[in-house]
Amino acid sequence: AHALKGSIGLFIQRGAYQHAHRLEKAARSGDLTGVDETCAALETEMAELCTALGALRKKLLASPTPTRRRARE
């Protein structure tokens, strides 16, 4: 949860970050109350993040950059 939380933080996905933080705290404290719900919410948020990153990747690959223009010429 800790590493995932840090990675999510790079993309400023607050919901996913908060859920990962809750899971990390639960693991450290040993209190697993509500972990199933938090994990499910994190999975939903991560799916949304993956979709957004995929769309961004597609957009970036489609846009002509100076390097790509030179390679095509």
Side-chain angles (χ1 to χ4, degrees), residues 5-70:
K5 182 186 73 171
S7 297
I8 294 166
L10 295 173
F11 299 104
I12 312 173
Q13 187 76 5
R14 293 203 189 281
Y17 182 88
Q18 290 171 347
H19 295 308
H21 182 69
R22 283 188 203 122
L23 289 175
E24 180 185 13
K25 284 175 54 177
R28 285 189 179 170
S29 71
D31 180 7
L32 303 181
T33 306
V35 167
D36 290 336
E37 294 84 4
T38 302
C39 190
L42 177 58
E43 287 175 357
T44 300
E45 293 282 343
M46 289 302 297
E48 291 174 11
L49 178 59
C50 286
T51 299
L53 289 174
L56 176 60
R57 180 179 183 272
K58 185 176 180 179
K59 181 180 177 181
L60 291 174
L61 290 174
S63 68
T65 62
T67 304
R68 287 202 184 116
R69 273 188 246 133
R70 275 188 242 123

